[in-house]
mmCIF file of all heavy atoms in Angstrom:
data_model
loop_
_atom_site.group_PDB
_atom_site.id
_atom_site.type_symbol
_atom_site.label_atom_id
_atom_site.label_comp_id
_atom_site.label_asym_id
_atom_site.label_seq_id
_atom_site.Cartn_x
_atom_site.Cartn_y
_atom_site.Cartn_z
ATOM 1 N N ILE A 102 -19.524 0.219 -0.616
ATOM 2 C CA ILE A 102 -19.439 -0.302 -1.983
ATOM 3 C C ILE A 102 -20.214 0.659 -2.888
ATOM 4 O O ILE A 102 -21.348 1.031 -2.572
ATOM 5 C CB ILE A 102 -20.067 -1.706 -2.063
ATOM 6 C CG1 ILE A 102 -19.431 -2.659 -1.051
ATOM 7 C CG2 ILE A 102 -19.989 -2.270 -3.464
ATOM 8 C CD1 ILE A 102 -17.996 -2.957 -1.264
ATOM 9 N N TYR A 104 -21.564 1.757 -6.927
ATOM 10 C CA TYR A 104 -22.085 1.023 -8.086
ATOM 11 C C TYR A 104 -22.392 1.993 -9.205
ATOM 12 O O TYR A 104 -22.885 3.098 -8.968
ATOM 13 C CB TYR A 104 -23.346 0.282 -7.631
ATOM 14 C CG TYR A 104 -24.167 -0.364 -8.711
ATOM 15 C CD1 TYR A 104 -23.720 -1.528 -9.318
ATOM 16 C CD2 TYR A 104 -25.399 0.165 -9.077
ATOM 17 C CE1 TYR A 104 -24.499 -2.146 -10.282
ATOM 18 C CE2 TYR A 104 -26.177 -0.448 -10.033
ATOM 19 C CZ TYR A 104 -25.722 -1.617 -10.635
ATOM 20 O OH TYR A 104 -26.484 -2.231 -11.585
ATOM 21 N N GLU A 106 -24.543 1.980 -12.580
ATOM 22 C CA GLU A 106 -25.540 1.183 -13.295
ATOM 23 C C GLU A 106 -25.211 1.084 -14.782
ATOM 24 O O GLU A 106 -25.426 0.044 -15.399
ATOM 25 C CB GLU A 106 -26.921 1.818 -13.083
ATOM 26 C CG GLU A 106 -28.070 0.839 -13.140
ATOM 27 C CD GLU A 106 -28.578 0.623 -14.544
ATOM 28 O OE1 GLU A 106 -28.449 1.538 -15.384
ATOM 29 O OE2 GLU A 106 -29.112 -0.470 -14.801
ATOM 30 N N TYR A 111 -25.132 -7.012 -15.410
ATOM 31 C CA TYR A 111 -26.158 -7.844 -14.773
ATOM 32 C C TYR A 111 -25.807 -9.335 -14.816
ATOM 33 O O TYR A 111 -26.634 -10.158 -15.185
ATOM 34 C CB TYR A 111 -27.539 -7.570 -15.396
ATOM 35 C CG TYR A 111 -28.079 -6.235 -14.964
ATOM 36 C CD1 TYR A 111 -27.753 -5.077 -15.672
ATOM 37 C CD2 TYR A 111 -28.854 -6.118 -13.832
ATOM 38 C CE1 TYR A 111 -28.202 -3.836 -15.249
ATOM 39 C CE2 TYR A 111 -29.312 -4.872 -13.412
ATOM 40 C CZ TYR A 111 -28.982 -3.750 -14.123
ATOM 41 O OH TYR A 111 -29.425 -2.538 -13.700
ATOM 42 N N LEU A 113 -24.878 -10.808 -12.043
ATOM 43 C CA LEU A 113 -25.314 -11.175 -10.692
ATOM 44 C C LEU A 113 -24.239 -11.933 -9.901
ATOM 45 O O LEU A 113 -24.550 -12.667 -8.966
ATOM 46 C CB LEU A 113 -26.611 -11.988 -10.719
ATOM 47 C CG LEU A 113 -27.782 -11.415 -11.503
ATOM 48 C CD1 LEU A 113 -29.038 -12.188 -11.178
ATOM 49 C CD2 LEU A 113 -28.007 -9.952 -11.220
ATOM 50 N N CYS A 115 -21.884 -10.544 -8.076
ATOM 51 C CA CYS A 115 -21.717 -9.897 -6.780
ATOM 52 C C CYS A 115 -22.785 -10.360 -5.805
ATOM 53 O O CYS A 115 -22.533 -10.564 -4.626
ATOM 54 C CB CYS A 115 -21.742 -8.380 -6.931
ATOM 55 S SG CYS A 115 -23.117 -7.757 -7.869
ATOM 56 N N GLU A 116 -23.994 -10.565 -6.311
ATOM 57 C CA GLU A 116 -25.086 -11.013 -5.452
ATOM 58 C C GLU A 116 -24.769 -12.392 -4.874
ATOM 59 O O GLU A 116 -24.997 -12.647 -3.696
ATOM 60 C CB GLU A 116 -26.374 -11.061 -6.271
ATOM 61 C CG GLU A 116 -27.589 -11.391 -5.442
ATOM 62 C CD GLU A 116 -28.814 -11.641 -6.292
ATOM 63 O OE1 GLU A 116 -28.680 -11.856 -7.506
ATOM 64 O OE2 GLU A 116 -29.913 -11.636 -5.725
ATOM 65 N N CYS A 119 -21.694 -12.201 -2.186
ATOM 66 C CA CYS A 119 -21.812 -11.439 -0.940
ATOM 67 C C CYS A 119 -22.128 -12.346 0.250
ATOM 68 O O CYS A 119 -23.168 -12.995 0.270
ATOM 69 C CB CYS A 119 -22.907 -10.386 -1.100
ATOM 70 S SG CYS A 119 -23.067 -9.359 0.366
ATOM 71 N N GLY A 122 -25.356 -11.230 2.149
ATOM 72 C CA GLY A 122 -26.508 -10.965 1.298
ATOM 73 C C GLY A 122 -26.925 -9.508 1.311
ATOM 74 O O GLY A 122 -28.112 -9.187 1.398
ATOM 75 N N ALA A 123 -25.950 -8.608 1.241
ATOM 76 C CA ALA A 123 -26.262 -7.179 1.303
ATOM 77 C C ALA A 123 -26.467 -6.585 -0.078
ATOM 78 O O ALA A 123 -26.836 -5.423 -0.197
ATOM 79 C CB ALA A 123 -25.147 -6.432 2.026
ATOM 80 N N ILE A 124 -26.199 -7.369 -1.129
ATOM 81 C CA ILE A 124 -26.488 -6.912 -2.498
ATOM 82 C C ILE A 124 -27.559 -7.841 -3.068
ATOM 83 O O ILE A 124 -27.396 -9.056 -3.050
ATOM 84 C CB ILE A 124 -25.228 -6.956 -3.388
ATOM 85 C CG1 ILE A 124 -24.208 -5.926 -2.908
ATOM 86 C CG2 ILE A 124 -25.587 -6.713 -4.837
ATOM 87 C CD1 ILE A 124 -22.922 -5.941 -3.683
ATOM 88 N N LEU A 125 -28.648 -7.263 -3.523
ATOM 89 C CA LEU A 125 -29.713 -8.070 -4.118
ATOM 90 C C LEU A 125 -30.159 -7.420 -5.418
ATOM 91 O O LEU A 125 -30.077 -6.196 -5.563
ATOM 92 C CB LEU A 125 -30.906 -8.171 -3.163
ATOM 93 C CG LEU A 125 -30.744 -9.013 -1.899
ATOM 94 C CD1 LEU A 125 -32.028 -8.965 -1.101
ATOM 95 C CD2 LEU A 125 -30.369 -10.437 -2.203
ATOM 96 N N PHE A 126 -30.612 -8.239 -6.347
ATOM 97 C CA PHE A 126 -31.163 -7.740 -7.610
ATOM 98 C C PHE A 126 -32.615 -8.215 -7.721
ATOM 99 O O PHE A 126 -32.893 -9.166 -8.427
ATOM 100 C CB PHE A 126 -30.343 -8.258 -8.795
ATOM 101 C CG PHE A 126 -29.040 -7.549 -8.998
ATOM 102 C CD1 PHE A 126 -27.890 -7.979 -8.367
ATOM 103 C CD2 PHE A 126 -28.969 -6.441 -9.826
ATOM 104 C CE1 PHE A 126 -26.687 -7.330 -8.561
ATOM 105 C CE2 PHE A 126 -27.757 -5.784 -10.019
ATOM 106 C CZ PHE A 126 -26.624 -6.222 -9.397
ATOM 107 N N PRO A 127 -33.545 -7.562 -7.018
ATOM 108 C CA PRO A 127 -34.933 -7.997 -7.133
ATOM 109 C C PRO A 127 -35.557 -7.500 -8.443
ATOM 110 O O PRO A 127 -35.138 -6.472 -8.970
ATOM 111 C CB PRO A 127 -35.601 -7.345 -5.924
ATOM 112 C CG PRO A 127 -34.775 -6.159 -5.646
ATOM 113 C CD PRO A 127 -33.383 -6.459 -6.088
ATOM 114 N N PRO A 128 -36.543 -8.238 -8.947
ATOM 115 C CA PRO A 128 -37.213 -7.775 -10.180
ATOM 116 C C PRO A 128 -38.096 -6.557 -9.901
ATOM 117 O O PRO A 128 -38.699 -6.450 -8.837
ATOM 118 C CB PRO A 128 -38.062 -8.986 -10.578
ATOM 119 C CG PRO A 128 -38.226 -9.786 -9.342
ATOM 120 C CD PRO A 128 -37.036 -9.530 -8.486
ATOM 121 N N VAL A 129 -38.124 -5.637 -10.847
ATOM 122 C CA VAL A 129 -38.986 -4.448 -10.711
ATOM 123 C C VAL A 129 -39.846 -4.306 -11.960
ATOM 124 O O VAL A 129 -39.529 -4.879 -13.015
ATOM 125 C CB VAL A 129 -38.148 -3.153 -10.507
ATOM 126 C CG1 VAL A 129 -37.612 -3.059 -9.103
ATOM 127 C CG2 VAL A 129 -37.038 -3.041 -11.527
ATOM 128 N N PRO A 133 -34.474 0.451 -14.021
ATOM 129 C CA PRO A 133 -33.952 1.753 -13.585
ATOM 130 C C PRO A 133 -33.411 2.602 -14.726
ATOM 131 O O PRO A 133 -33.381 3.821 -14.635
ATOM 132 C CB PRO A 133 -32.857 1.376 -12.592
ATOM 133 C CG PRO A 133 -32.547 -0.054 -12.854
ATOM 134 C CD PRO A 133 -33.767 -0.672 -13.413
ATOM 135 N N LEU A 143 -34.212 -5.958 -13.676
ATOM 136 C CA LEU A 143 -33.773 -6.063 -12.284
ATOM 137 C C LEU A 143 -33.287 -4.706 -11.793
ATOM 138 O O LEU A 143 -32.979 -3.823 -12.595
ATOM 139 C CB LEU A 143 -32.638 -7.089 -12.164
ATOM 140 C CG LEU A 143 -32.931 -8.486 -12.687
ATOM 141 C CD1 LEU A 143 -31.675 -9.339 -12.635
ATOM 142 C CD2 LEU A 143 -34.042 -9.143 -11.889
ATOM 143 N N LYS A 144 -33.200 -4.552 -10.471
ATOM 144 C CA LYS A 144 -32.683 -3.303 -9.908
ATOM 145 C C LYS A 144 -31.675 -3.628 -8.811
ATOM 146 O O LYS A 144 -31.924 -4.478 -7.955
ATOM 147 C CB LYS A 144 -33.826 -2.468 -9.350
ATOM 148 C CG LYS A 144 -33.389 -1.104 -8.868
ATOM 149 C CD LYS A 144 -34.578 -0.219 -8.580
ATOM 150 C CE LYS A 144 -34.147 1.126 -8.060
ATOM 151 N NZ LYS A 144 -34.001 1.183 -6.633
ATOM 152 N N TYR A 145 -30.532 -2.952 -8.868
ATOM 153 C CA TYR A 145 -29.478 -3.149 -7.861
ATOM 154 C C TYR A 145 -29.923 -2.550 -6.540
ATOM 155 O O TYR A 145 -30.312 -1.377 -6.484
ATOM 156 C CB TYR A 145 -28.198 -2.477 -8.359
ATOM 157 C CG TYR A 145 -27.096 -2.314 -7.342
ATOM 158 C CD1 TYR A 145 -26.177 -3.333 -7.120
ATOM 159 C CD2 TYR A 145 -26.945 -1.128 -6.625
ATOM 160 C CE1 TYR A 145 -25.154 -3.181 -6.204
ATOM 161 C CE2 TYR A 145 -25.928 -0.968 -5.708
ATOM 162 C CZ TYR A 145 -25.032 -1.998 -5.502
ATOM 163 O OH TYR A 145 -24.026 -1.843 -4.601
ATOM 164 N N GLU A 146 -29.889 -3.344 -5.474
ATOM 165 C CA GLU A 146 -30.206 -2.839 -4.127
ATOM 166 C C GLU A 146 -29.051 -3.177 -3.207
ATOM 167 O O GLU A 146 -28.535 -4.304 -3.240
ATOM 168 C CB GLU A 146 -31.490 -3.489 -3.589
ATOM 169 C CG GLU A 146 -32.733 -3.199 -4.395
ATOM 170 C CD GLU A 146 -33.311 -1.823 -4.107
ATOM 171 O OE1 GLU A 146 -32.745 -1.088 -3.282
ATOM 172 O OE2 GLU A 146 -34.339 -1.490 -4.746
ATOM 173 N N TYR A 147 -28.636 -2.208 -2.405
ATOM 174 C CA TYR A 147 -27.475 -2.405 -1.534
ATOM 175 C C TYR A 147 -27.834 -1.957 -0.132
ATOM 176 O O TYR A 147 -28.404 -0.876 0.058
ATOM 177 C CB TYR A 147 -26.306 -1.577 -2.080
ATOM 178 C CG TYR A 147 -25.102 -1.479 -1.176
ATOM 179 C CD1 TYR A 147 -24.433 -2.634 -0.753
ATOM 180 C CD2 TYR A 147 -24.621 -0.242 -0.762
ATOM 181 C CE1 TYR A 147 -23.325 -2.536 0.062
ATOM 182 C CE2 TYR A 147 -23.506 -0.141 0.054
ATOM 183 C CZ TYR A 147 -22.866 -1.296 0.464
ATOM 184 O OH TYR A 147 -21.770 -1.202 1.278
ATOM 185 N N ASN A 148 -27.545 -2.788 0.865
ATOM 186 C CA ASN A 148 -27.819 -2.430 2.264
ATOM 187 C C ASN A 148 -26.501 -2.144 2.982
ATOM 188 O O ASN A 148 -25.798 -3.066 3.381
ATOM 189 C CB ASN A 148 -28.559 -3.575 2.954
ATOM 190 C CG ASN A 148 -29.008 -3.205 4.340
ATOM 191 O OD1 ASN A 148 -28.552 -2.210 4.905
ATOM 192 N ND2 ASN A 148 -29.901 -3.988 4.895
ATOM 193 N N PRO A 149 -26.149 -0.858 3.137
ATOM 194 C CA PRO A 149 -24.845 -0.545 3.742
ATOM 195 C C PRO A 149 -24.749 -0.936 5.214
ATOM 196 O O PRO A 149 -23.655 -1.029 5.757
ATOM 197 C CB PRO A 149 -24.739 0.979 3.583
ATOM 198 C CG PRO A 149 -26.124 1.445 3.393
ATOM 199 C CD PRO A 149 -26.885 0.341 2.751
ATOM 200 N N LEU A 151 -25.977 -3.781 6.399
ATOM 201 C CA LEU A 151 -25.801 -5.235 6.459
ATOM 202 C C LEU A 151 -24.409 -5.616 5.949
ATOM 203 O O LEU A 151 -23.858 -6.640 6.325
ATOM 204 C CB LEU A 151 -26.885 -5.899 5.602
ATOM 205 C CG LEU A 151 -27.127 -7.390 5.742
ATOM 206 C CD1 LEU A 151 -27.544 -7.719 7.160
ATOM 207 C CD2 LEU A 151 -28.224 -7.824 4.786
ATOM 208 N N LEU A 169 -18.428 -1.675 -10.192
ATOM 209 C CA LEU A 169 -18.531 -1.837 -8.746
ATOM 210 C C LEU A 169 -17.153 -1.600 -8.143
ATOM 211 O O LEU A 169 -16.163 -2.128 -8.639
ATOM 212 C CB LEU A 169 -18.983 -3.283 -8.461
ATOM 213 C CG LEU A 169 -19.688 -3.574 -7.141
ATOM 214 C CD1 LEU A 169 -21.021 -2.871 -7.091
ATOM 215 C CD2 LEU A 169 -19.887 -5.059 -6.982
ATOM 216 N N MET A 188 -37.526 -1.547 5.126
ATOM 217 C CA MET A 188 -37.346 -1.403 3.682
ATOM 218 C C MET A 188 -36.593 -2.593 3.104
ATOM 219 O O MET A 188 -36.925 -3.121 2.044
ATOM 220 C CB MET A 188 -36.595 -0.106 3.378
ATOM 221 C CG MET A 188 -37.519 1.078 3.223
ATOM 222 S SD MET A 188 -36.727 2.630 3.604
ATOM 223 C CE MET A 188 -35.428 2.716 2.421
ATOM 224 N N TRP A 189 -35.567 -3.039 3.841
ATOM 225 C CA TRP A 189 -34.767 -4.151 3.334
ATOM 226 C C TRP A 189 -35.566 -5.451 3.376
ATOM 227 O O TRP A 189 -35.451 -6.287 2.479
ATOM 228 C CB TRP A 189 -33.472 -4.283 4.148
ATOM 229 C CG TRP A 189 -32.520 -5.243 3.514
ATOM 230 C CD1 TRP A 189 -32.197 -6.487 3.953
ATOM 231 C CD2 TRP A 189 -31.802 -5.051 2.289
ATOM 232 N NE1 TRP A 189 -31.308 -7.089 3.098
ATOM 233 C CE2 TRP A 189 -31.052 -6.220 2.066
ATOM 234 C CE3 TRP A 189 -31.717 -4.005 1.362
ATOM 235 C CZ2 TRP A 189 -30.218 -6.374 0.958
ATOM 236 C CZ3 TRP A 189 -30.889 -4.165 0.254
ATOM 237 C CH2 TRP A 189 -30.157 -5.323 0.070
ATOM 238 N N ALA A 191 -38.714 -5.679 2.837
ATOM 239 C CA ALA A 191 -39.596 -5.637 1.665
ATOM 240 C C ALA A 191 -38.829 -6.033 0.410
ATOM 241 O O ALA A 191 -39.345 -6.768 -0.443
ATOM 242 C CB ALA A 191 -40.181 -4.247 1.519
ATOM 243 N N ILE A 192 -37.559 -5.580 0.311
ATOM 244 C CA ILE A 192 -36.741 -5.927 -0.858
ATOM 245 C C ILE A 192 -36.465 -7.428 -0.875
ATOM 246 O O ILE A 192 -36.568 -8.088 -1.912
ATOM 247 C CB ILE A 192 -35.431 -5.121 -0.845
ATOM 248 C CG1 ILE A 192 -35.731 -3.648 -1.137
ATOM 249 C CG2 ILE A 192 -34.435 -5.661 -1.855
ATOM 250 C CD1 ILE A 192 -34.589 -2.718 -0.822
ATOM 251 N N GLU A 193 -36.146 -7.978 0.303
ATOM 252 C CA GLU A 193 -35.886 -9.422 0.390
ATOM 253 C C GLU A 193 -37.137 -10.220 0.025
ATOM 254 O O GLU A 193 -37.050 -11.265 -0.617
ATOM 255 C CB GLU A 193 -35.428 -9.789 1.803
ATOM 256 C CG GLU A 193 -33.979 -9.425 2.061
ATOM 257 C CD GLU A 193 -33.479 -9.932 3.400
ATOM 258 O OE1 GLU A 193 -34.298 -10.208 4.277
ATOM 259 O OE2 GLU A 193 -32.253 -10.047 3.547
ATOM 260 N N ARG A 195 -39.462 -9.266 -2.043
ATOM 261 C CA ARG A 195 -39.635 -9.191 -3.502
ATOM 262 C C ARG A 195 -38.730 -10.205 -4.200
ATOM 263 O O ARG A 195 -39.031 -10.749 -5.232
ATOM 264 C CB ARG A 195 -39.272 -7.788 -3.978
ATOM 265 C CG ARG A 195 -40.505 -6.924 -4.233
ATOM 266 C CD ARG A 195 -40.123 -5.739 -5.056
ATOM 267 N NE ARG A 195 -39.411 -4.756 -4.278
ATOM 268 C CZ ARG A 195 -38.465 -3.954 -4.768
ATOM 269 N NH1 ARG A 195 -38.133 -4.031 -6.042
ATOM 270 N NH2 ARG A 195 -37.870 -3.086 -4.003
ATOM 271 N N LYS A 196 -37.557 -10.430 -3.582
ATOM 272 C CA LYS A 196 -36.583 -11.364 -4.151
ATOM 273 C C LYS A 196 -36.989 -12.811 -3.841
ATOM 274 O O LYS A 196 -36.462 -13.755 -4.400
ATOM 275 C CB LYS A 196 -35.222 -11.028 -3.522
ATOM 276 C CG LYS A 196 -34.057 -11.817 -4.015
ATOM 277 C CD LYS A 196 -33.578 -11.360 -5.362
ATOM 278 C CE LYS A 196 -32.578 -12.377 -5.889
ATOM 279 N NZ LYS A 196 -32.267 -12.170 -7.278
#
Side-chain angles (χ1 to χ4, degrees):
Chain A
I102 305 296
Y104 171 74
E106 209 273 332
Y111 287 87
L113 308 192
C115 50
E116 185 189 16
C119 182
I124 293 177
L125 289 180
F126 283 89
V129 284
L143 304 174
K144 185 169 178 271
Y145 167 87
E146 298 281 0
Y147 170 58
N148 187 345
L151 194 61
L169 204 66
M188 272 154 61
W189 190 252
I192 290 166
E193 283 187 339
R195 259 196 285 148
K196 183 77 191 168

